[in-house]
Amino acid sequence: MSRTLWAWGRYVGPVVVLLVLVWRLGTGPFLDGIRTIDGLALAAATGLVLLTTVCSAWRWKIVAGGLGVDLSLPAAVAAYYRALFLNVTLPGGVVGDVHRGISHGRDVNDVGRALRAVAWERTAGQVVQVLLTVLVLLALPSPVQSAMPLVATVVVAALFGVVLIARARPAGARSAWARTRSAVAHDIRHGLLARRAWLPIALASALVVAGHVVTFLIAARTAGITAPPSRMLPIALLVVMSMVLPSVGGWGPREGVTAWAFGAAGLGAGRGVATAVVYGIMILVACLPGAAVLVVAWFRGTRLPRGTEPPLREGAAHA
């Protein structure tokens, strides 16, 4: 029963958020956001998403290699674009990531390890995003600045706990908990904190966060927001953080948090919704190359990604 309620809540919750926004603000902010979209904003978003996708694919390649499931960068970029497109068009927000993990796992004959690589790659990105968000929210005024010292303390404690787990050595006990702890420690040591891995992973993750934030700032300008970047940066990071929540094709929590943050900052909840709509459309258009990857894979009758390409055989096509 609890699983059923959670599954339904993941889809119903975002819809409820959108309905509440329409009830309180009307449809005007949504229509304003659609009307203000222009070609320059879409072109900028496409370029920024290209940057963030390459960086994310690079991060995935590093983590996967550390876990022993190698992946070429071109294949990772194609698969990541496909995953992004699925994430912004299907409910849940993680369907594309699950799909790329399973597909990669089938190609390397180890679905479990490939899924772990995807999970750790996403986790690494979220950790860097949280750290950057906390630092900015501590330094700049925001609606949540008063709570940031406590949040920073919790984050530091959590990171300290992760380091302790990573440094733990396999115990003699063979209980389920001992095996799980050993597997987690192994993955963190070899996939995330290896000597030649942690710095590129951190750099790639920081670039991804920067790309998302700049895209949001462009969306705000497109929607008519003229507030200075120092005022908008904390809001942008809060909104980007909200995108990890379950959504319907990316919609729901993003609009709710943007409306709240803009209202709390004195910019107007309606203008926040308009900005979120602009951002959502920009991201959707920028992720369309993922649809092309799906179409190409469908015509070729194969799965992506592949670390290497087998030789073509007469009468058969391979990706």
Side-chain angles (χ1 to χ4, degrees):
M1 178 63 70
S2 60
R3 290 183 179 180
T4 302
L5 291 175
W6 169 246
W8 276 101
R10 292 178 60 189
Y11 304 131
V12 174
V15 174
V16 171
V17 171
L18 293 174
L19 291 176
V20 169
L21 289 175
V22 172
W23 172 53
R24 294 296 301 271
L25 303 174
T27 59
F30 293 89
L31 297 176
D32 289 342
I34 295 173
R35 281 194 291 263
T36 55
I37 285 286
D38 57 37
L40 185 60
L42 295 177
T46 300
L48 287 166
V49 168
L50 173 61
L51 169 66
T52 59
T53 301
V54 172
C55 290
S56 297
W58 179 36
R59 181 178 65 201
W60 180 26
K61 179 182 185 301
I62 295 170
V63 175
L67 297 185
V69 282
D70 290 337
L71 177 68
S72 72
L73 184 59
V77 171
Y80 224 107
Y81 256 120
R82 179 198 59 203
L84 290 173
F85 177 74
L86 293 175
N87 285 344
V88 300
T89 54
L90 297 175
V94 295
V95 176
D97 295 307
V98 174
H99 186 266
R100 68 182 166 96
I102 293 175
S103 181
H104 180 212
R106 288 173 177 170
D107 287 331
V108 297
N109 297 317
D110 196 335
V111 173
R113 190 175 299 185
L115 283 172
R116 279 158 45 204
V118 169
W120 285 119
E121 175 261 320
R122 288 295 302 269
T123 299
Q126 294 302 325
V127 168
V128 173
Q129 181 173 319
V130 168
L131 289 175
L132 292 176
T133 301
V134 169
L135 289 175
V136 171
L137 294 180
L138 281 171
L140 297 177
S142 73
V144 296
Q145 190 175 38
S146 60
M148 291 317 298
L150 176 60
V151 173
T153 302
V154 172
V155 170
V156 171
L159 289 176
F160 182 70
V162 170
V163 172
L164 289 180
I165 293 174
R167 292 175 63 87
R169 297 301 173 185
R174 289 290 87 194
S175 66
W177 164 246
R179 291 194 300 270
T180 300
R181 185 181 63 181
S182 178
V184 169
H186 174 275
D187 286 356
I188 293 175
R189 284 198 305 268
H190 296 279
L192 303 181
L193 299 182
R195 182 174 300 178
R196 296 184 179 180
W198 70 268
L199 184 57
I201 289 173
L203 176 60
S205 300
L207 289 173
V208 170
V209 175
H212 292 325
V213 168
V214 172
T215 303
F216 184 85
L217 296 179
I218 293 173
R221 288 290 181 179
T222 303
I225 306 300
T226 58
S230 60
R231 189 177 180 188
M232 293 300 302
L233 181 58
I235 296 176
L237 285 165
L238 283 172
V239 173
V240 171
M241 279 294 301
S242 73
M243 297 177 195
V244 304
L245 299 173
S247 63
V248 178
W251 300 84
R254 177 182 61 214
E255 286 66 36
V257 170
T258 309
W260 166 79
F262 271 58
L267 298 173
R271 300 176 76 186
V273 171
T275 297
V277 171
V278 173
Y279 181 88
I281 296 175
M282 289 169 63
I283 293 298
L284 176 61
V285 172
C287 291
L288 288 179
V293 175
L294 281 171
V295 171
V296 170
W298 181 76
F299 273 111
R300 292 185 175 183
T302 189
R303 299 186 304 274
L304 289 177
R306 284 179 182 249
T308 58
E309 296 185 356
L312 290 174
R313 300 193 303 269
E314 184 177 356
H318 300 268

